[in-house]
Amino acid sequence: MNWRLRWARHHLSALIQDSELRVLGLALVCAVAASSAVQLFGDRMARAITAQSGESLGADLIISARSPIDDTAISALNPQLRMARTIHLPSVIWFGDSNHLAGLKAVDEHYPLKGELRTAAAPLHEERVARQIPAPGSAWVDAQLWSELRLQRDATIEVGATTLRVSRLLTYEPDRGSGFVDIAPRLLINMQDLPATKLLQPGSRAQYRVLVSGDEDSLQQVKALEFPPDTQLSTPADARPEIRSAVSRAESFLALASMTASLLGAIAVGLCAHQYGQRLRADVALLRCLGAARRDILGALLISLLAMASVAGGLGAGIGWAVQFLLQDLAQLMLLPSLPPPHPLALAQAWLIALILLAGFALPPLLDATRAAPIAVLRNDNPQQRAGWGWQFAALGGLVGLLALQAPSWSMLGAVIAGQALTAALLAVLSLAILALLRPLRHAALRGWRLGLGNLLRRTGLSIAQSMALGLGLLALLLLTVVRHDLLQGWQNKLPPDTPNQFLINIQSDQVEPLQAFLKARGVTAQRIWPMARARLVAVNDQPVDADSFSDPETQRWINRDFNLSWADQLGDDNRMVEGQFWGPEAHGQALISAELYVRERLGVGIGDTLSLDFAGDVRRFTIHHLREVDWESFQPNFFLLTPPGVLDAVPATWLTSFYLPPEQRSAMRDLSQTFPGVTVLDLDALMDQVRTIMQRIVGALEMVFVFTVAAGLIVLLAAMEAGRHERRREIALMRTLGASRREVRQALLSEFAALGALSGLVAALCAQAVGWVLAAQVFEIPYEIRWLTVVGSAAAGAVLVCALAWLSLRPVTNTPPDRILRE
Amino acid sequence: MSLAIQAEKIEKSVGSGSSRIQILNATSVSIDSGETVAILGRSGAGKTTLLSLLAGLDQPSAGRILLDGHALNGLDEEQRAKVRAGRVGFVFQSFQLLSGFTALENVRLSAELAGLSDARERAISALKDVELGHRLEHLPRQLSGGEKQRIALARAFVARPAILFADEPTGNLDAATGAHIVELMFALNAQHGTTLVLVTHDEALAARCQRQLRLRDGQLVNA
């Protein structure tokens, strides 16, 4: 091994032995771990989606509608076409006294046409491919429903008016989507059992599907057939857009965390490398003095940087590899049950990140060190080099390259750079302001504290850099914990305690009175009972419209399907008139319509315009009477369109109502399901619990990646401490030599770092509260109370944290005899 | 006898305009091969500057220098480093060892830079010559000041350089250790027939050299 390799090896071993390189190594490992965890996980999710696309529908084509589909025309097309039929609808399932809302799916014996069903005997049992669908009289439930109802194998559950035996645990179904009936726990039954449940009533929330599989020509023929207007055709090409969208959002969020960690890592690497470069100048001067060529010195340094990138990259990638397995929970929440194994090639990017970090942020100061003049060995001086333009360009290039590698889009790259710059500026300004406020205090303090505060104020630049570094880390932590909790709590508190938690839909007209009597007999006070008809918009101001008449996808979707409307002679408190007045009794029977602002936004219509609605072939024309705005978060039934009473009496309608049911009266709902099997009960409490659980699990998974961000913030703090460490060593030695006691020195250090930590915590908490307030006001529209206790607590936590770090970093210095330091 | 070093009317100044300081002023000196020369003078007289120019560590503002027959004028730092490698040895007041290298690696480095194929064997031999054969794998921080300076001596002589430059070699050592180092240095110098240029404040140490040069106001008064 020649001297170049030995010198490179020395730098590598300094990753452990030298405090600056140790922090540099930690920063590299942290940035690479965050990035590789996110990259590996993202790669696995992308491959899972791609792999699933073929079987994501369970067929080559799905025809779905809200009413039974006549498939005789399809059968007649080509005998080679295979078909299966499914019906999906929400229903409350009972087991003993427990109930839960489930997404019921009835399938025929041909299901699925593509992909496979997988089941297990019970949770944690071996998964097997199912060759057949559930036998008549039996049902398969998924793990969530199994757990919610505390089922055992062969348990008997009540589904509408019938009972079924739970024979298997459903672990995988190829065509599970993410609509309500798909997110809700799954109950899979045989189509033959559906009539006995009596859940299928006119106007029920059922979705009918015909699954088709065959060659391309036959499928084209099917697509060319005429279907009723509310029929939708889906192919694998447009399968699961909701999952792609959810995955993309999660990836963006994860990328944000990993980009922040990389950014902080870059700052730490730059700080440490700059400091190490200053010390390296002495070695370089000696080597040059002894006759070493600069290119040899450069070569040795490049070897060591490559080795560092390999070691830190490998370690970081290993940690990232382990962490991304923990993120699998997130994938399951997005209904991607089995992810393919991680691809080793995705790890290559981890090394690339390490290389970019070193090349952009460590190489420039080290290159500069190789220009040290040999004469420095005689003079014992190593003049500090100021960063030149070359460095700044390298750092900027490295930064953009680093973030571009991880950013899902250029717009996000720009947003992250701008957002981080803004946050850093805000932190810097706040730090500067607080430091200015501290200035008068140093004269009033005790000697040790005076020295400490003096140090903090004397090194204003370094103090602000340190405060920003820790502040960024603490800010991420506060936003994810305290502020998130406050916002959720605030949103939940917004609802009054008697907010309806039960919705009954699909009530037939002849059930209205018996149902009201049923509820009254059980002491349940129902809110209004609303009629509900379904219609489709066919003309605006007598001009026929369809989806193609609008370019906006949301309007296209709205136009493309039936929507609900109702009639009323008075409005609830959650409706606010925007234009015009609500009608009086004289409007009874007139073809007027009350439109919510959404209708104006989508169609661009106003008072006096006409809307023609098709009620199952019965087209009627209405004039917009007024515009109103609905508070959709009131949890009360509301409609985009209302007519006066007496207009739609002849139109087929169902009814809905809502009410608050105390937990102790839950059993009433069981009786209701049995007495009115066709009425669908939506238990909002259960839904909210489900949403809350899913949110907690998603946030939990995301927080794992933000741990890296916080760690990176702490590493930057360590790096910033290292930056002043050598100067501080000499200062401490001088103070001790001039008679300061060890206690006074420690007091000075503790006061300096306590003040710095409190400053960072305070600044981070103020920023977090500001973000919380903006989110509350602009997004959630809820009042947000500044939590001063959190502000004080964060300042205290920052002080303790920084003191602990400083203690670890500088304790050996205070214990070293001053003469030894001064002789170095 | 050939000349190891020849400097003609060399000048060195730093700064510019009104803040310009003339450190050396038209100084000339010739040193024969194998000669031992001490450079004396008060602090700030320019001793270290003269040594750095003669060793090719720095460039004069004016004048001409020949080092072991090689003209240093007009050479850039890279070319001067090439001239130094193998021809020149150094001993410094503050030892100047690579902290991450063992004693053996520090000495071997100099032999390798001189292009010697048996660098390791020569380094071991050089360390044995300075009575550190038992400290080959020790790092500088594990050694005393005297031991560090002996490693520096071994490094200086390992490539059998034509010229040895020593800058206050006993400045960081106690008297007894310093005396031991001086004995070793002169012994090795005699053994290898090296030209020695020694910068010191110590009149007794200077007296051991064949010739003493005094620097005063940027000029050698008895060159």
Side-chain angles (χ1 to χ4, degrees), chain A residues 74-374:
Chain A
I74 305 170
S75 311
L77 274 177
N78 186 336
Q80 300 299 317
L81 278 174
R82 295 189 299 130
M83 285 197 292
R85 289 154 197 86
T86 64
I87 298 174
H88 303 239
L89 73 163
S91 177
V92 175
I93 309 301
W94 285 88
F95 174 60
D97 290 332
S98 309
N99 69 72
H100 206 279
L101 183 67
L104 184 151
K105 179 165 155 185
V107 298
D108 71 7
E109 69 276 18
H110 305 298
Y111 171 84
L113 298 178
K114 289 223 160 166
E116 59 200 18
L117 287 167
R118 293 200 286 267
T119 65
L124 306 177
H125 281 58
E126 191 189 350
E127 185 184 61
R128 286 188 189 157
V129 173
R131 304 286 170 207
Q132 291 172 326
I133 61 167
S138 67
W140 295 349
V141 303
D142 72 359
Q144 193 183 350
L145 192 59
W146 188 292
S147 144
E148 296 284 356
L149 291 177
R150 300 185 181 178
L151 296 172
Q152 307 101 35
R153 198 171 173 196
D154 293 328
T156 300
I157 54 173
E158 294 169 36
V159 184
T162 192
T163 57
L164 297 170
R165 184 178 60 85
V166 175
S167 58
R168 302 283 290 175
L169 175 81
L170 179 66
T171 54
Y172 177 74
E173 53 185 317
D175 56 336
R176 188 159 185 174
S178 66
F180 171 75
V181 289
D182 293 314
I183 282 182
R186 168 69 75 225
L187 174 77
L188 191 77
I189 67 169
N190 194 302
M191 190 71 86
Q192 293 177 31
D193 289 326
L194 192 58
T197 64
K198 296 187 178 168
L199 292 170
L200 273 183
Q201 304 280 346
S204 68
R205 307 288 298 169
Q207 189 184 53
Y208 297 81
R209 292 182 186 174
V210 175
L211 285 67
V212 185
S213 189
D215 58 51
E216 192 55 37
D217 289 344
S218 308
L219 293 172
Q220 287 301 332
Q221 289 175 330
V222 175
K223 287 179 189 171
L225 288 172
E226 283 282 325
F227 290 102
D230 72 333
T231 312
Q232 285 192 334
L233 271 66
S234 313
T235 59
D238 47 35
R240 317 196 84 167
E242 70 287 345
I243 289 189
R244 284 182 197 277
S245 161
V247 167
S248 156
R249 274 198 298 274
E251 279 179 344
S252 296
F253 204 65
L254 290 172
L256 178 68
S258 95
M259 285 161 82
T260 309
S262 298
L263 197 67
L264 292 170
I267 295 170
V269 167
L271 278 170
C272 292
H274 176 68
Q275 198 64 21
Y276 190 69
Q278 294 296 340
R279 288 203 287 129
L280 193 66
R281 297 179 72 81
D283 278 8
V284 172
L286 177 66
L287 285 167
R288 300 285 282 145
C289 177
L290 296 177
R294 185 165 175 251
R295 67 165 186 282
D296 289 338
I297 297 174
L298 266 176
L301 274 177
L302 286 177
I303 292 171
S304 35
L305 284 185
L306 278 173
M308 276 182 205
S310 300
V311 171
L315 201 57
I319 295 171
W321 182 284
V323 167
Q324 58 89 29
F325 277 108
L326 302 176
L327 289 172
Q328 286 192 128
D329 199 27
L330 196 63
Q332 281 164 11
L333 290 168
M334 291 178 186
L335 308 176
L336 289 170
S338 55
L339 289 181
H343 202 300
L345 266 184
L347 284 178
Q349 188 165 325
W351 268 278
L352 202 56
I353 296 273
L355 271 179
I356 291 178
L357 274 171
L358 287 172
F361 298 89
L363 190 58
L366 299 186
L367 277 181
D368 196 63
T370 63
R371 293 195 187 92

Side-chain angles (χ1 to χ4, degrees), chain A residues 598-681:
Chain A
Y598 180 84
V599 178
R600 183 171 76 177
E601 283 170 24
R602 299 271 71 87
L603 305 177
V605 291
I607 293 173
D609 288 325
T610 63
L611 303 178
S612 300
L613 305 176
D614 180 348
F615 296 86
D618 176 7
V619 177
R620 298 188 182 203
R621 184 172 174 274
F622 297 87
T623 304
I624 297 177
H625 181 264
H626 57 256
L627 293 166
R628 65 200 154 83
E629 185 178 22
V630 172
D631 175 10
W632 294 103
E633 291 177 20
S634 66
F635 280 73
Q636 304 282 352
N638 268 298
F639 299 88
F640 289 125
L641 294 171
L642 286 173
T643 70
V647 185
L648 299 174
D649 290 350
V651 167
T654 58
W655 298 71
L656 85 157
T657 189
S658 65
F659 49 87
Y660 174 74
L661 188 72
E664 63 273 13
Q665 279 183 263
R666 280 287 180 83
S667 59
M669 300 315 293
R670 183 186 182 187
D671 300 340
L672 189 142
S673 291
Q674 286 169 342
T675 314
F676 305 96
V679 173
T680 305
V681 181

